[in-house]
Amino acid sequence: MKLHTYLHKFCRLKQWEIKADSDLNVILLSPRGGCLESLFQIHRFLFSGVEANFHFFAVDQWYPIPDPFDPEKRRLSKMGQSLSRDFLSQVVRLSDPTGGKNTIVFGYSAGAVMALDLVTHGMPVRAIVPCAGAILEPTETPIATTNTRIYLHHGKRDDVFDWQERYLPMKSTLIGNGYNLVSTFESDFGGHGIIDLLKGAEKSINSELQKK
């Protein structure tokens, strides 16, 4: 299946850009069933006053929902992830002349899954800020090949990417496989909603923007 066919037929891709006279590149990735308006709201909260080239991507789905008990659904989910990863890798290469060194990727829920997927498959972006997402196959995660800074954000009451089943195995894998896990914002009372994690994400982004 060709990349553009997948994105338009299954993902229903919607995108927007804000250009600036800046080397900084920021990519924002929606959750499943996401809309551009929600990304604009996140942008206003997290990046107010930041001069950067912003790229917004909202989709119905980045990948089909996997089912661990159904090999075909699991295969289709992996294929969807791979195609979406290829698309996002192209976005990074085309929008950042350094190949990713000036790019920060923010993702929420399934968007966070894709931000993590980019890095664990060798895309050397500057940093990623995944909120309420996880690596879907932590046991298949390769050893780190980049020094991308990772800022994890997750709620202990998340009912989509469960704390025990999804988040903790991912965190352990990232540390064990040599990824540059800079910080973790772990909310004792937060669920899957983005509101619970925005303050932590804001601190992470401000910290990253102070780095060179």
Side-chain angles (χ1 to χ4, degrees):
M1 184 185 301
K2 290 184 178 180
L3 179 60
H4 70 273
T5 303
Y6 173 79
L7 288 167
H8 290 287
K9 184 176 181 181
F10 297 101
C11 293
R12 299 183 188 275
L13 176 71
K14 300 173 283 291
Q15 61 188 84
W16 192 261
E17 292 184 354
I18 299 175
K19 293 291 188 179
D21 184 16
S22 172
D23 292 332
L24 181 62
N25 204 45
V26 179
I27 296 173
L28 295 96
L29 307 178
S30 80
R32 186 179 302 276
C35 64
L36 287 173
E37 287 74 15
S38 64
L39 287 182
F40 296 156
Q41 292 174 3
I42 291 170
H43 163 262
R44 284 194 291 271
F45 187 92
L46 296 180
F47 296 97
S48 177
V50 175
E51 283 291 318
N53 297 291
F54 291 96
H55 309 269
F56 303 82
F57 295 97
V59 297
D60 282 355
Q61 62 172 4
W62 290 107
Y63 53 87
I65 296 175
D67 183 341
F69 304 106
D70 188 325
E72 179 62 12
K73 286 185 178 179
R74 189 177 177 191
R75 184 187 70 82
L76 289 173
S77 178
K78 287 184 176 182
M79 183 180 73
Q81 269 191 278
S82 177
L83 289 166
S84 292
R85 182 197 321 131
D86 289 346
F87 167 73
L88 293 172
S89 297
Q90 289 177 25
V91 170
V92 172
R93 294 189 185 100
L94 290 172
S95 61
D96 184 347
T98 69
K101 293 179 182 178
N102 288 332
T103 296
I104 297 172
V105 183
F106 169 89
Y108 166 45
S109 191
V113 171
M114 292 312 306
L116 288 156
D117 194 65
L118 273 176
V119 173
T120 57
H121 285 82
M123 174 53 69
V125 295
R126 170 175 166 172
I128 62 169
V129 185
C131 291
I135 296 170
L136 299 184
E137 302 282 354
T139 59
E140 298 179 9
T141 301
I143 299 297
T145 59
T146 77
N147 197 41
T148 296
R149 290 185 284 270
I150 301 173
Y151 301 83
L152 288 182
H153 302 78
H154 212 86
K156 292 185 178 180
R157 298 185 180 182
D158 194 314
D159 58 356
V160 176
F161 294 94
D162 184 81
W163 180 262
Q164 295 288 340
E165 294 180 6
R166 291 290 194 184
Y167 176 75
L168 291 181
M170 169 189 66
K171 179 180 174 181
S172 176
T173 295
L174 289 172
I175 294 170
N177 288 13
Y179 288 87
N180 186 8
L181 183 55
V182 176
S183 66
T184 58
F185 176 83
E186 300 172 345
S187 171
D188 289 332
F189 304 104
H192 191 65
I194 188 64
I195 298 299
D196 299 319
L197 304 175
L198 279 179
K199 278 293 184 183
E202 182 183 31
K203 290 180 180 179
S204 295
I205 289 166
N206 287 339
S207 174
E208 175 59 33
L209 291 176
Q210 293 172 14
K211 295 181 170 66
K212 297 295 183 182

